[in-house]
Structure formats: C-alpha cells, structure tokens
Amino acid sequence: MASTKDQLLTNLRDAARHLNATDKPELAKTVAGLLEDRGWVLLRMAVEDDRTAKNFPISINKVLHDRVKKASEAAGRDLTQDVVEGLRAFIDGGFSPAGYPRRGTGESGSTTMNVRLPDDLQTSFAEVAEARQAELGYKTTIGHVVKAYLAHKYTEQPAK
C-alpha cells in the first residue's frame, strides 16, 4: 500500500496527464508545476495570499460584465485572475487606461463584480495611482483600471 505522500504525488501526476488528454493544457501545466522545484512554495504563497485577500466590490456595466465574463471563461480563466493581471500591469506601467470613463445615458444598468484582492496589491495600486495622476490627468481608481483593462482585453470598446 502506497504512503499518503506517494499517493499524493501519483494523483497529481495522473491529474496532469488527464488534463492534457482532455485538452486542458493550462490546467495540466498548473498541476504539473506543483511537482517542480519550488512548486509547493508557490502554492503555499498563493494560499497565504488568498487568506489575506479581502472582497473588493466593483460596480461595472452589466453588458460589459457579461461580455468579459463569457470571454474570460472561454479562455479558461476567471475574472479575479484578469483583475489581478490588469492591476499588476497598471502598477508595472504596462497598462494605462484610456480617458476617464463617464457613465453614458440610457445604459443597460450595472452590476457588482466581487473579486478578492490582497491588501498589498491595493496598497501598491494606491501608491502608483497617486504617482501617475499627472500622467493620466486624473486620479484613477481600482474600479476604473479594472473596467478599462477588461474592456481592452476582451472587447474592442472602451469601458463605460
């Protein structure tokens, strides 16, 4: 009979092979990555970050939300991944939101998108947003950057 740790390794390897066989290469790569050097360290860091993450509600146009959610799911991602990616891109200087979005008249309403953001990401964003205020011409918010990033990534229309 295999030990618990041997069974864990066997199950992870089998899961990676199964995911590859069922045309889910990104998921297979993630599972296989756990078995690589430092894979468990990265997993532990991710779990710790998730424990410290707090809900962050973002008001977003319902049509935009539905479009980006559908496109994100089709890409095998979830919106929280995309939100974090967009905020990190803004912090690193790789993404700048176009103009300040104004709510249009006759829009289809809004919904709330709830994402879990680590405190350190929110703090970094606040510092960078303050520093980039002159460049952008206004003080941006997490919600604005998120909506602009999602619209940029998944649609051809600017966020409203």
Side-chain angles (χ1 to χ4, degrees), residues 67-81:
R67 269 191 202 137
V68 299
K69 184 174 181 182
K70 184 177 179 181
S72 181
E73 288 171 354
R77 298 176 56 88
D78 71 36
L79 286 178
T80 298
Q81 284 178 298

Side-chain angles (χ1 to χ4, degrees), residues 91-111:
I91 291 166
D92 295 340
F95 176 74
S96 291
Y100 191 76
R102 303 279 181 208
R103 185 173 301 267
T105 56
E107 282 191 3
S108 62
S110 64
T111 189

Side-chain angles (χ1 to χ4, degrees), residues 33-153:
L34 296 174
L35 300 170
E36 294 175 4
D37 291 342
R38 294 190 29 87
W40 66 272
V41 173
L42 296 174
L43 175 62
R44 185 175 185 164
M45 289 172 29
V47 168
E48 301 266 331
D49 283 351
D50 190 53
R51 285 186 188 144
T52 63
K54 294 187 177 116
N55 183 56
F56 193 92
I58 299 170
S59 178
I60 185 170
N61 173 281
K62 182 148 178 41
V63 171
L64 175 61
H65 177 266
D66 293 347
R67 269 191 202 137
V68 299
K69 184 174 181 182
K70 184 177 179 181
S72 181
E73 288 171 354
R77 298 176 56 88
D78 71 36
L79 286 178
T80 298
Q81 284 178 298
D82 292 324
V83 168
V84 169
E85 178 183 273
L87 292 176
R88 290 199 194 285
F90 175 80
I91 291 166
D92 295 340
F95 176 74
S96 291
Y100 191 76
R102 303 279 181 208
R103 185 173 301 267
T105 56
E107 282 191 3
S108 62
S110 64
T111 189
T112 301
M113 177 174 59
N114 290 294
V115 293
R116 295 182 58 78
L117 299 178
D119 286 337
D120 63 332
L121 184 62
Q122 293 179 53
T123 301
S124 295
F125 178 88
E127 292 167 359
V128 171
E130 185 72 31
R132 292 184 66 186
Q133 185 172 353
E135 167 200 338
L136 296 171
Y138 57 90
K139 185 170 182 177
T140 192
T141 64
I142 287 177
H144 171 228
V145 170
V146 165
K147 289 182 272 192
Y149 184 79
L150 293 175
H152 167 77
K153 182 169 183 160

